[in-house]
């Protein structure tokens, strides 16, 4: 009996708060196309690209993470053999000599890593031949007077053919790849304004609303579409219909696939939020079972108190107040940590306290970091294992 008690207390000493650092928590990292296909600006092909993919996955495993959010579609171009879209610019607009998604998926699973295929949804910046913005210019969002976005093209969620196109593209993908998850980024209206068009630098919304919130089928001059009280109500419903259709299409082939979305860091409070700025209603989708996981982009929170407050400490300006029904039905939420901002602001050491703040919430499923390239630049993998993910 005394020996059992001693073992119990030794376990508490050597393995503190193990329940808050469980291997079952979601520990993901976003991996961007240019982080995969290029090395210091050089486009990699065949064996060198395979080596690069292996190195990325080895580092992710070394860090104690358990999932990659691997970008497979960006700007209306593909980074796998697609019947719908051309190869993207970071692969040199051509196949690298093998199927990089099939290879990365197999290698991830060999290492025990979950593989979530990351699709940019309505974002369609590419003007490459065969890209949707070039094949279907009438799909691009317009402003109040009917002027099409001159660059940073985004497809309008209000057009039925656009929603069907995305669902068919993703449905085709999951019929060929046994991925663990599909992750939808840019699953929202765009935030761009004419003032943003004066620069070639993509901007995160800094307050206010976008101007390209109409399309040729739904011009401002015709008024609010029939059946809706406001334009904003219509916009949210159009994105919701897109998510619902994608879910149904995936279910026809792979009902076991986890569907997640990249949610703006604040739901409906503050100026730059998902609900009112880009018409994204993530808690509704979780509650209706259209998605399984919200992967929030909580990039504005660079300290533990900010993260804690935004999760459940500053309610009603917090996520938990709007998620409870969806969580009760089996949905999950993971917090997005902006490693790139922590690096830029010289706050890198805040990683540990922010991760602990997520764990202290008790209801969040885990976290994901943006992005792999920043961690590689900081050579953070072994340190992350030691400090953040020792179990």
């Amino acid at each position: 009996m005394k020996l059992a008690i001693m073992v119990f207390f030794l376990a508490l000493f050597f393995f503190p708060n193990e329940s808050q650092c469980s291997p079952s928590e979601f520990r993901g990292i976003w991996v961007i196309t240019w982080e995969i296909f290029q090395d210091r600006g050089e486009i990699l092909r065949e064996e060198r690209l395979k080596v690069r993919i292996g190195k990325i996955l080895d580092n992710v495993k070394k860090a104690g993470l358990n999932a990659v959010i691997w970008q497979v579609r960006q700007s209306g171009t593909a980074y796998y053999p697609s019947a719908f879209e051309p190869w993207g610019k970071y692969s040199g607009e051509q196949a690298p000599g093998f199927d990089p998604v099939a290879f990365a998926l197999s290698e991830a699973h060999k290492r025990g890593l979950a593989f979530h295929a990351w699709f940019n949804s309505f974002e369609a910046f590419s003007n490459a031949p065969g890209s949707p913005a070039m094949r279907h210019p009438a799909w691009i969002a317009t402003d109040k007077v009917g002027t099409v976005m001159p660059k940073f093209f985004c497809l309008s969620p209000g057009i039925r053919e656009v929603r069907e196109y995305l669902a068919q593209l993703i449905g085709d993908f999951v019929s060929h790849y046994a991925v663990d998850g599909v992750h939808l980024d840019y699953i929202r209206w765009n935030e761009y304004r004419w003032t943003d068009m004066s620069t070639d630098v993509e901007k995160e919304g800094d307050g206010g609303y976008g101007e390209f919130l109409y399309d040729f089928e739904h011009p401002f001059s015709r008024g609010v579409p029939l059946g809706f009280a406001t334009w904003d109500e219509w916009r949210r419903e159009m994105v919701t219909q897109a998510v619902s259709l994608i879910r149904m299409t995936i279910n026809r082939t792979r009902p076991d696939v986890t569907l997640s979305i990249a949610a703006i860091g604040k739901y409906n409070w503050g100026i730059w939020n998902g609900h009112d700025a880009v018409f994204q209603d993530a808690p509704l989708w979780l509650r209706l079972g259209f998605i399984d996981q919200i992967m929030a982009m909580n990039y504005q929170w660079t300290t533990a108190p900010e993260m804690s407050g935004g999760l459940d400490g500053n309610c009603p300006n917090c996520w938990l107040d709007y998620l409870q029904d969806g969580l009760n039905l089996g949905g999950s939420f993971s917090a997005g940590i902006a490693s790139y901002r922590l690096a830029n602001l010289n706050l890198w050491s805040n990683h540990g306290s922010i991760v602990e703040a997520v764990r202290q919430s008790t209801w969040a499923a885990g976290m994901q970091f943006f992005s792999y390239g920043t961690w590689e630049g900081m050579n953070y993998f072994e340190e992350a294992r030691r400090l953040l993910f020792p179990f």
Side-chain angles (χ1 to χ4, degrees):
M1 185 68 173
K2 289 181 179 179
L3 178 60
I5 293 172
M6 183 179 296
V7 169
F8 173 76
F9 281 107
L10 284 172
L12 287 179
F13 179 79
F14 285 108
F15 304 105
N17 297 320
E18 185 169 355
S19 64
Q20 295 180 15
C21 190
S22 167
S24 66
E25 76 180 353
F26 185 80
R27 305 170 178 176
I29 193 163
W30 279 288
V31 189
I32 312 172
T33 51
W34 59 76
E35 297 170 350
I36 302 166
F37 287 86
Q38 297 195 350
D39 182 14
R40 291 183 289 274
E42 180 186 358
I43 295 172
L44 305 177
R45 295 180 56 77
E46 299 184 2
E47 292 307 313
R48 289 186 65 198
L49 178 55
K50 289 181 179 180
V51 170
R52 173 65 180 163
I53 290 170
K55 178 182 177 182
I56 291 171
L57 297 171
D58 283 342
N59 283 335
V60 170
K61 184 70 174 179
K62 183 191 299 182
L65 303 171
N66 56 24
V68 289
I69 304 107
W70 194 272
Q71 193 164 40
V72 301
R73 179 181 187 261
Q74 180 187 59
S75 301
T77 60
Y79 287 84
Y80 63 96
S82 171
F84 290 79
E85 294 175 342
W87 285 87
K89 69 176 183 178
Y90 298 109
S91 67
E93 299 181 338
Q94 60 181 310
F98 66 103
D99 184 337
V101 167
F103 180 79
L105 173 60
S106 174
E107 293 298 308
H109 284 171
K110 286 178 184 177
R111 293 162 174 79
L113 300 172
F115 189 98
H116 295 254
W118 165 13
F119 292 80
N120 282 15
S121 303
F122 296 109
E123 179 264 307
F125 292 1
S126 176
N127 59 4
S131 65
M134 294 299 99
R135 284 191 290 121
H136 303 283
W139 287 1
I140 302 173
T142 67
D143 67 5
K144 275 188 175 183
V145 298
T147 305
V148 174
M149 303 177 78
K151 55 183 175 180
F152 303 149
F153 310 128
C154 291
L155 308 182
S156 171
I159 297 176
R160 177 177 56 82
E161 288 84 355
V162 171
R163 301 191 297 271
E164 291 175 346
Y165 175 80
L166 290 175
Q168 290 166 5
L169 182 150
I170 293 170
D172 178 74
F173 178 89
V174 299
S175 73
H176 289 91
Y177 300 96
V179 294
D180 302 285
V182 166
H183 179 67
L184 304 178
D185 196 2
Y186 285 90
I187 189 72
R188 64 193 201 225
W189 285 81
N190 72 85
E191 67 269 28
Y192 292 100
R193 296 162 294 185
W194 277 108
T195 52
D196 299 333
M197 298 299 161
S198 63
T199 174
D200 286 330
V201 178
E202 181 186 353
K203 292 175 60 179
E204 181 179 286
D206 58 1
Y209 297 84
E211 292 180 285
F212 299 96
L213 301 175
Y214 309 88
D215 57 55
F216 285 132
E217 294 184 12
H218 307 91
F220 175 76
S221 60
R222 289 188 195 166
V224 178
L226 187 65
F228 297 90
T230 66
W231 278 106
D232 289 359
E233 181 184 309
W234 172 77
R235 293 182 185 113
R236 275 188 287 272
E237 175 59 20
M238 294 303 98
V239 184
T240 295
Q241 286 188 19
V243 175
S244 174
L245 184 58
I246 290 168
R247 171 84 273 174
M248 288 190 294
T249 305
I250 290 173
N251 283 353
R252 293 188 191 117
T253 306
R254 294 286 311 284
D256 58 318
V257 167
T258 295
L259 183 60
S260 64
I261 64 104
I264 299 299
K266 297 178 182 178
Y267 169 49
N268 66 356
W269 66 94
I271 296 174
W272 176 238
N273 68 65
H275 187 269
D276 301 310
V278 291
F279 314 105
Q280 177 188 71
D281 202 344
L284 174 68
W285 306 338
L286 198 69
R287 185 168 71 249
L288 295 177
F290 295 164
I291 61 174
D292 303 294
Q293 182 176 356
I294 295 171
M295 295 190 194
M297 301 180 289
N298 308 118
Y299 300 162
Q300 69 276 26
W301 300 332
T302 57
T303 67
E306 288 173 329
M307 180 63 77
S308 295
L311 293 180
D312 51 29
N314 294 336
C315 297
N317 291 339
C318 74
W319 275 100
L320 184 58
D321 263 14
Y322 305 96
L323 293 177
Q324 196 62 67
D325 288 344
L327 296 175
N328 290 343
L329 293 172
S332 67
F333 172 98
S334 52
I337 299 172
S339 294
Y340 76 100
R341 291 202 70 216
L342 297 180
N344 292 341
L345 297 172
N346 198 28
L347 296 174
W348 193 260
S349 63
N350 284 7
H351 272 93
S353 59
I354 293 172
V355 166
E356 186 58 28
V358 176
R359 289 177 176 148
Q360 291 295 330
S361 72
T362 72
W363 56 270
M367 70 289 298
Q368 60 280 333
F369 303 87
F370 193 87
S371 66
Y372 172 85
T374 304
W375 278 42
E376 186 174 56
M378 299 294 289
N379 192 25
Y380 193 52
F381 306 107
E382 291 184 359
E383 188 175 1
R385 163 72 80 170
R386 180 171 54 85
L387 297 179
L388 307 181
F389 305 117
F391 301 105

